[in-house]
Amino acid sequence: MTDRPLTLMAVHAHPDDEATGTGGILARYAAEGIRTVLVTCTDGGCGDGPGGVKPGDSGHDPAAVALMRRQELKASCDVLGISDLEMLEYADSGMMGWPGNDAPESFWQTPVEDGAARLAELMRHYRPDVVVTYDENGFYGHPDHIQAHRITMAALEMTDLTPKVYWTTAPRSMMRRFGEVMREFHEDMPEPDPAETAALAEIGLPDDEITTWVDTTAYSGQKFDALAAHASQGENIFFLRMGKQRFGELMGMETFVRVRDTTGAGTPENDLFAGLR
């Protein structure tokens, strides 16, 4: 045994990603006395500017947006009780196909080994028992999410650490429910394109392929407030429109695929730290 606290490290791409997919576990494990470390890889400069101005439009200043989003991220961390925030400050690459993908300083253009070396140093410092990031497709194909996955897995190979490793996911049953709820809150939403529907159907995993179901219902209020802390991006955060109660009903379970384990804990499991405490 050691006096070192159990540690969770979540590696995310942008400010606000920490709340969307992992706000519940970050709040829950912080409340349980576990050290929670958030690594945010980009500056979020491709987010909306004041008044909802979009990247590439007149008046959008990526540097000003990045500064604003850093402040919002720190507020979100306070809400979730995150112990340590580390920002790699790579330039936001934007959505797949955006001009920012080709910018030399963008995260997408950063050599994986360079980003991984920086992350590996953080891993050696914090020595996480559990590491959480995205799957190979970044959950839905965002270049910065894909790159966060790549540098995380490469960083683990650069260290002698053996944490449990998880990728965020969503059960297909929940994705169908999301579609229903979105239509409920957007009555004028047009019928989806068949190709778009097929693509959405591939997001997440069949329920029986998910290894880890963590009930974070008791912390859904904190998760909602953490999302709300990213006020500048409110137009893009659909979940804020449903209010806290409905949000808690829909977003109280966070799900993962366990991809590395040395504890021998059985699956399905309901705790990322199963076998560690």
Side-chain angles (χ1 to χ4, degrees), residues 34-229:
I34 288 171
R35 180 168 61 176
T36 49
V37 180
L38 171 64
V39 180
T40 300
C41 296
T42 80
D43 60 11
C46 285
D48 287 357
V53 63
K54 305 297 181 184
D57 290 347
S58 176
H60 187 278
D61 180 351
V65 171
L67 176 60
M68 176 174 58
R69 298 196 72 185
R70 180 185 305 154
Q71 294 167 345
E72 292 174 341
L73 177 60
K74 290 178 179 176
S76 172
C77 288
D78 288 343
V79 169
L80 296 173
I82 290 171
S83 310
D84 300 272
L85 170 63
E86 298 285 353
M87 301 185 70
L88 300 186
E89 297 282 9
Y90 290 110
D92 190 340
S93 311
M95 300 293 285
M96 192 66 81
W98 285 17
N101 296 177
D102 299 321
E105 69 276 10
S106 72
F107 189 38
W108 186 236
Q109 291 297 323
T110 298
V112 170
E113 58 270 22
D114 292 356
R118 293 181 62 192
L119 183 56
E121 281 301 305
L122 293 176
M123 289 180 174
R124 294 186 189 102
H125 174 71
Y126 289 107
R127 303 193 69 80
D129 301 281
V130 171
V131 172
V132 175
T133 192
Y134 315 100
D135 63 17
E136 304 101 317
N137 192 46
F139 186 60
Y140 68 98
H142 193 296
D144 288 330
H145 290 222
I146 294 170
Q147 190 75 330
H149 162 86
R150 290 173 177 170
I151 73 161
T152 301
M153 302 312 291
L156 287 163
E157 294 299 327
M158 293 177 178
T159 75
D160 61 355
L161 304 173
T162 56
K164 297 178 78 176
V165 180
Y166 294 88
W167 296 342
T168 58
T169 191
R172 295 266 168 84
S173 60
M174 186 183 294
M175 295 304 297
R176 288 192 293 271
R177 181 67 181 132
F178 283 158
E180 295 168 3
V181 172
M182 287 184 72
R183 291 195 169 280
E184 179 183 335
F185 282 84
H186 296 275
E187 294 180 357
D188 58 348
M189 181 181 286
E191 285 298 317
D193 178 88
E196 183 179 313
T197 300
L200 286 173
E202 293 303 311
I203 294 178
L205 289 173
D207 292 30
D208 61 0
E209 293 183 20
I210 292 173
T211 64
T212 311
W213 303 70
V214 183
D215 185 355
T216 61
T217 305
Y219 304 92
S220 60
Q222 283 175 260
K223 182 172 177 174
F224 184 94
D225 289 344
L227 278 169

